[in-house]
Amino acid sequence: MTDEQRTVEQHLWRLFDSLRGHFSTDEVADTLLWNAVDWKTQATGLLAPELDVLRRVAQHVRSRNPALEPALEGAQEVLDTYTPAQIRHYARTLLRPLHHYGEFPTSASLVKVATATLTAYERSSRTDGVQVYDPACGSATLALDVARALADQAESPVSIAGQDVNSLTVQRARAHAFLVGADATFSLSNSLEEDAFPGRQFDYTVAEIPYNMAWRNNLAHCTAEAARRDGRFPAGLPQPDNASLLFAQILLSKLRAPADGGGRGIMFTATGPLHDRGGSAIRTWLLDQDLLDAVVALPEGLSANTSIRLFALVFSNSKPKPRRHKVQFIDLRGFYEDAHSRRPERRVISDAALDELSRSLRQPKPTSYSRTASVNDLSFRQVSVLHHATAATGKPGQHHVPPLTKLAPVTASTETWRTARYTATPPDVRDVANSQLTMFDVDRIFRTNRPPRALRDLTQLGWKTARLAELTEHVCYVPSAKAADRPVMLSAATGEQALILPIEPHLDAVIGDPGEVAPDNRILVLRTRDTHIDAEYLAGWLNSSLGRRLRSAATGSDSDSYVSPRAMNLTQAWRMADSLLIALPELPVQREMARTQRALATAGRHLDDSHRELWNDPKRRSDIYREANRLIPSADLVGLR
């Protein structure tokens, strides 16, 4: 924040604090906004836009307390001293006070993301003015700030068009545009039912609609619009509980045609429209038409009204050749700073995030925060996987092995996918009918399918890899000691030696009778296939640093969302076992590794005992030294004689 902006906010917060208890924050903000419009009309002689609703709010507040007049006159005197930049910040602050009229005001962070995104691309060769459209404009902070940045970049005038369903919000947008001197037209209308600017096309479109907004009340109009050959919903309709993908089509319908230079758009959305099944056909259409340019994952807490994770979808109907039939994914989730106490948002985007965003869009080479995927890599089909375990138990009376539903790329055959994934005891894999799904999954793009380098190095020794589920004959999921059915589940697994694998990867896997050695945590009790695996070797592998890393990666993998260990059930635990990679040398090598691990563990315990004894009984130091030197010959020890 600049010193000029800080001066503006300090003045406004003093005003708000002095009037606290007399008026609501909303009333004060609207009254000061109208007062600023009145100041500008007097100072410039310009005609104010139609603001009847806003004027009536201000008149009502002033009539309730005439003592407010000196504060308003003082505010106008302060406005006389402000620069144009300070007046812009004055209006923007009034449109984002402590309370937000039950709407979703666009935060400064999201405005910065949109501005950095749209100005990162090279401007087209058009020489006439730039036009921006927002179908859910609210108080127009997003459209006005983006327009100003584009005007600076293009060195040409920018005009703005927007529409919104709330009359007071539209008048706030008009007042906002008037104060900053913008060329803007705002219409009171419902974008889902009416195009307020028919026939007009725009260079840029922007939108932040209320997240997860239902559109059931607009169903009849939207259905009719989708049925029209030239309608604004050519990809069809999503599920009625989320309108985001309807607005995505509206944004694209208003872009200038590619033959006329094309256009770009940006829309902020929650997670659902990127993954949900009801929107899959629309996402497929976006890829088929090559209209999606980038997906940007943002930190949580950037919006004023919610802490949910947000994403930016970046659209283009005229991609340059190197970007065609590809989608760039940019992960900015770790780039944030905590907001100060006066801000309605919990977090703000960092300058480093904006730099990374601009750099990634200009140079779409793979980095730690940027990946580019072919459109074919974003479509999947479901396959059903059934492993050949004899039984699986996750609750009393359950014995069947749960089938797993997984996503396979549409570009690979079922047999190819099965062969690439499983090596020891491949399961039965079948396609699920009518199950194709297109997803814009940032985590899936950044999660590599390649095993860690340390595991690849072991394969150079001739070691194979397998999934834990392939090596399992019988599995039992036992909940933690707090669960009521824990004793029943544990008794079902008691009586035989088994591998006990805690769900939490920091805990050790052990071999033994579960009734005797099982920890109180959530565990999988596994009986392995003797022809493939030495159980003691398997426990050692799972407890190694690489094994723990793979255990951590397998928890919640191949799932639509992260599954906490606290909420895990048998199917989710079995899914974890299906994802967990095991290094699998020949059986004699496994037994030799297990024997060596056993010897090291014994020696380690012996050394620990000797270390304690050294300090408890220093007179035995020579004996302890000689014993340690036999175990681990060391030049350092020799030098201590």
Side-chain angles (χ1 to χ4, degrees), residues 65 93 157 177 183 202 214 239 256 278 328 374 406 442 458 568 618:
N65 191 343
T93 305
D183 176 12
F202 298 84
Q239 66 275 24
R256 195 181 295 278
Q328 187 176 9
S374 165
K406 292 189 170 292
V442 176
L458 290 177
M568 193 165 284

Side-chain angles (χ1 to χ4, degrees), residues 371-415:
R371 297 280 193 278
T372 298
S374 165
V375 295
N376 293 328
D377 295 333
L378 304 177
S379 292
F380 306 88
R381 69 182 191 286
Q382 287 185 335
V383 294
S384 176
V385 176
L386 182 62
H387 284 280
H388 301 296
T390 56
T393 307
K395 57 185 178 180
Q398 182 185 47
H399 299 287
H400 67 278
V401 179
L404 301 177
T405 301
K406 292 189 170 292
L407 295 176
V410 294
T411 53
S413 69
T414 302
E415 187 59 31

